[in-house]
Amino acid sequence: MDYRATYPLALRVLSRLIDLFLVVGGLSIVTLVFVNATLRGAAGFDLAWSLEVTAFLLLWTTFLGCAAAIARGAHMRVTEIVELFFPAKVQCFLSIAINLVVLVTMVSLIVEGYSISTHTWAQKTTVLYWPVGFLYASMPVGIALSLIFHVFNMLHDWRSPPGRDGPPIAHHVDGADTGAVL
Amino acid sequence: MILLFVIAVFLVTVFVGVPLVWAILLTAILPILVFDLGYPLQALYLNFIGGVEPNHFLAIPLFIVAGELMSRGGVGLRIIGFARAAFGFMPGGLGMVVVGASMIFGGISGSAIADSAAIGSVMIKNMAKEGYDKAFAAGLVAAAGTIGIIIPPSIPMLIYGFVGNVSVADLFLAGMVPGIIFGVAFMLVCYYVGKSTGCDPGGRTTTRAELWSSFVGTAPALFMPILILGGIFSGWVTPTEAAAVAVVYGLVVTIFVYRDFRFKDLPQLMVDAFVTSATVMVVIGATTVLGWLITLEQMPQVLVGFVQDLSSSPWVFLILVNLVLLVLGLVLDPVPAILLTAPLFLPTAQAFGIDPVHLGVIMTCNVAVGLFTPPVGATLYVASRISGVGVLSIARRMGMLYFAAICALLLVTYVPAVSMTMVHLFR
């Protein structure tokens, strides 16, 4: 489910800021790759720095997009088997257990990712001399934002656990709720 | 032992509903802890970031943006109009329109879900009005939509090419004939259903003028795959640059030619496309971690040994590929199914002398079939949502479509020339 409507104002603002970054980052990627291809085809040269900028943008849009996907409950997962074969109480227990396991994995990614980023901060990229650690910081930052959304999603699921009043609804397929009835 | 543990952890975590990215990361982390393999977590996570880092992966979000762009607005309607003029006169013609339009739309969007949604939203209603069983119409939309990932450009093939270090241009070339074979197989089913049930005996007339005018209306959209494939095959652009060119071309066509997309809708489209892309990219990153572990622990060699114990024939390995992917396809979407199995299957296939391009096409066709098999079939869900018919009711009416798809899959798998002739001709 899309959790954004259940978030407090500060979190909704954070979600909008991430969306804004995805728009700006995405449009920049399209523009840079297109301009680079055109320049190489038409003028016989390309912009070496654009490769580094797009590499940064790809990593940052991916990990911030990961946080945006958590806010929307849009990460790919298979929920149909549990919904079809397990009673509501077991589903509830599984949901809590999965949320906790994901939380621990996220914390581990943030801690190790921070360490990777700080250890590589002194290295510079070839053309722009930007810190390599800034490239790698995308992971701990993106996962930290994901963690914030995940904790709120978890609290929401705790307060109103997913019930089974109607027929099972298939969702989270291909990153989107399909709303199909099984 | 480790290989079995890895498979068990993956299946359990996925089946209980752990989101794929975390399920795959856990599948990589747990064997290290349980078997005390001694790899530091930092090395794992460096691979997680490194899996997302390669610059050519920019093609993935860009192709998703291009597909989203062409899926919104009236491109689907124009393609249906053209397919109706081209196929509508035959018995089972309306069904053939669905298949033909899906094949054309697949070349433009590269996405099975976009394909099913665009064609199904118009055609299921029309087919039901004509007398077709609504569940069959929905099933046809679900099955035909999957041709979108076989006919180039195809996002799963692109990802297979990147992670397996296989030429994307060769994969795109190799996907053409299999895509047409799947299309023809589904059309034959439509012909039979239209004639045998009497709901669509054919006989509509299409004048040349109608065919021409519908073609002219569709031509700007039809030019998109030509632009992408022509650019890549001629060597003018890389697949990544072709994707950016496709986005810019799509913007020009939908905003200035068709006038059914507005600039103010662009930010929302970018957010949607990049969120979808992020969900795919983090799975790629996690699979890189698992692939790294699989390579270090020499699991492909274990698989080669296991298959060679059964038989030294490559056909036995291909049967295994078909079976594993058909079973995985029941519960997994194409991209994760390919990402998870490619690190195991690719080295094994090479040991058996199977061309990696041929393997890529086999895997894509396999996961395409998985897209319309319950319980987890993305295009099936889309067709269910549009038609209002339950997923299992639709699946029950799809017997002939499953049979046609399996026949086409066997042809693609066991007759390499079906995929490889185009590659040998144009390589």
Side-chain angles (χ1 to χ4, degrees):
Chain A
M1 77 171 262
D2 190 339
Y3 291 90
R4 286 175 298 166
T6 67
Y7 288 160
L9 180 65
L11 224 55
R12 287 205 301 271
V13 171
L14 181 64
S15 168
R16 298 285 295 178
L17 286 174
I18 292 173
D19 288 358
L20 185 66
F21 178 84
L22 293 180
V23 174
V24 176
L27 287 173
S28 307
I29 288 173
V30 173
T31 310
L32 283 171
V33 178
F34 180 75
V35 167
N36 219 21
T38 311
L39 278 178
R40 211 191 56 239
F45 72 97
D46 56 11
L47 309 166
W49 56 266
S50 76
L51 287 179
E52 281 187 8
V53 175
T54 49
F56 272 84
L57 286 172
L58 177 63
L59 271 172
W60 279 90
T61 50
T62 294
F63 286 110
L64 293 188
C66 174
I70 287 193
R72 289 163 171 79
H75 275 286
M76 287 186 268
R77 72 194 289 189
V78 176
T79 53
E80 290 79 0
I81 292 165
V82 169
E83 285 170 350
L84 275 175
F85 298 112
F86 291 94
K89 268 191 177 170
V90 178
Q91 285 183 37
C92 204
F93 169 77
L94 273 176
S95 162
I96 293 168
I98 289 168
N99 280 335
L100 288 174
V101 168
V102 171
L103 187 131
V104 172
T105 316
M106 281 179 171
V107 171
S108 144
L109 278 163
I110 294 165
V111 172
E112 299 292 342
Y114 174 76
S115 171
I116 292 170
S117 174
T118 49
H119 278 100
T120 51
W121 201 269
Q123 294 174 30
K124 304 289 178 200
T125 59
T126 323
V127 183
L128 293 169
Y129 298 107
W130 287 358
V132 173
F134 178 50
L135 190 73
Y136 290 158
S138 57
M139 195 268 272
V141 171
I143 301 294
L145 292 170
S146 302
L147 179 66
I148 296 172
F149 291 133
H150 179 71
V151 169
F152 274 87
N153 297 355
M154 215 164 83
L155 291 174
H156 177 270
D157 286 349
W158 241 315
R159 282 192 217 110
S160 45
R164 228 188 118 164
D165 303 328
I169 300 292
H171 52 257
H172 302 307
V173 174
D174 210 356
D177 280 9
T178 57
V181 178
L182 283 168
Chain B
M1 183 65 186
I2 298 178
L3 179 61
L4 286 178
F5 183 80
V6 163
I7 293 170
V9 171
F10 173 72
L11 291 178
V12 169
T13 48
V14 167
F15 286 170
V16 298
V18 179
L20 268 176
V21 54
W22 312 115
I24 300 167
L25 279 176
L26 284 172
T27 308
I29 295 168
L30 282 181
I32 294 174
L33 301 178
V34 172
F35 294 96
D36 199 16
L37 299 177
Y39 304 119
L41 273 183
Q42 230 174 65
L44 253 76
Y45 295 158
L46 255 177
N47 274 289
F48 184 47
I49 305 173
V52 181
E53 200 181 352
N55 223 288
H56 51 261
F57 278 11
L58 282 166
I60 295 165
L62 292 176
F63 269 124
I64 292 175
V65 173
E68 287 254 352
L69 199 55
M70 298 307 268
S71 309
R72 299 181 185 196
V75 175
L77 274 177
R78 288 180 178 87
I79 289 171
I80 288 169
F82 175 53
R84 183 171 280 211
F87 301 109
F89 64 93
M90 285 190 268
L94 266 189
M96 290 188 192
V97 170
V98 169
V99 180
S102 297
M103 289 166 75
I104 299 168
F105 202 79
I108 293 166
S109 76
S111 156
I113 294 175
D115 208 340
S116 304
I119 308 298
S121 56
V122 179
M123 289 306 295
I124 293 176
K125 209 170 28 185
N126 281 343
M127 284 178 75
K129 215 186 284 173
E130 194 77 13
Y132 278 90
D133 178 45
K134 205 174 186 183
F136 173 78
L140 182 66
V141 164
T146 61
I147 302 173
I149 64 166
I150 304 173
I151 287 188
S154 148
I155 292 171
M157 274 190 197
L158 188 79
I159 290 170
Y160 171 85
F162 287 159
V163 296
N165 209 12
V166 180
S167 160
V168 172
D170 284 356
L171 284 166
F172 282 1
L173 272 173
M176 283 180 188
V177 177
I180 293 168
I181 287 177
F182 271 79
V184 171
F186 292 146
M187 280 186 178
L188 288 174
V189 173
C190 297
Y191 183 89
Y192 174 77
V193 169
K195 217 164 183 185
S196 65
T197 62
C199 66
D200 188 5
R204 282 185 211 87
T205 48
T206 306
T207 63
R208 275 189 189 175
E210 275 173 338
L211 187 62
W212 176 247
S213 75
S214 65
F215 172 73
V216 169
T218 325
L222 290 177
F223 187 64
M224 188 152 164
I226 297 170
L227 189 70
I228 295 170
L229 301 176
I232 296 172
F233 296 150
S234 64
W236 287 345
V237 287
T238 63
T240 309
E241 290 166 346
V245 172
V247 172
V248 174
Y249 179 76
L251 279 171
V252 171
V253 167
T254 52
I255 293 174
F256 299 111
V257 181
Y258 289 152
R259 295 170 187 268
D260 49 19
F261 184 80
R262 291 166 301 179
F263 261 119
K264 67 174 188 166
D265 297 326
L266 190 57
Q268 191 55 50
L269 182 138
M270 294 304 282
V271 172
D272 292 346
F274 272 82
V275 168
T276 304
S277 159
T279 61
V280 174
M281 294 294 284
V282 288
V283 169
I284 292 178
T287 317
T288 309
V289 177
L290 188 58
W292 174 77
L293 182 74
I294 283 173
T295 310
L296 283 184
E297 289 303 310
Q298 304 191 329
M299 293 181 212
Q301 286 83 332
V302 176
L303 185 66
V304 172
F306 169 72
V307 180
Q308 277 177 342
D309 281 348
L310 290 174
S311 163
S312 58
S313 160
W315 304 118
V316 175
F317 169 68
L318 288 177
I319 291 171
L320 186 76
V321 170
N322 280 152
L323 288 176
V324 169
L325 284 173
L326 282 175
V327 172
L328 267 185
L330 295 177
V331 289
L332 280 185
D333 285 328
V335 170
I338 286 181
L339 281 171
L340 283 164
T341 49
L344 267 179
F345 285 160
L346 251 170
T348 318
Q350 279 163 334
F352 280 106
I354 296 163
D355 194 304
V357 175
H358 183 211
L359 180 73
V361 177
I362 294 170
M363 290 178 73
T364 308
C365 292
N366 251 292
V367 295
V369 177
L371 263 174
F372 59 91
T373 48
V376 181
T379 58
L380 207 50
Y381 291 137
V382 171
S384 160
R385 187 179 53 188
I386 295 169
S387 65
V389 183
V391 165
L392 297 179
S393 308
I394 295 174
R396 272 194 286 273
R397 297 284 297 132
M398 290 178 71
M400 276 194 289
L401 293 166
Y402 288 131
F403 177 71
I406 295 294
C407 289
L409 177 64
L410 292 177
L411 198 64
V412 171
T413 306
Y414 299 105
V415 185
V418 167
S419 333
M420 299 307 292
T421 303
M422 288 291 280
V423 182
H424 293 317
L425 281 176
F426 293 97
R427 193 182 250 168

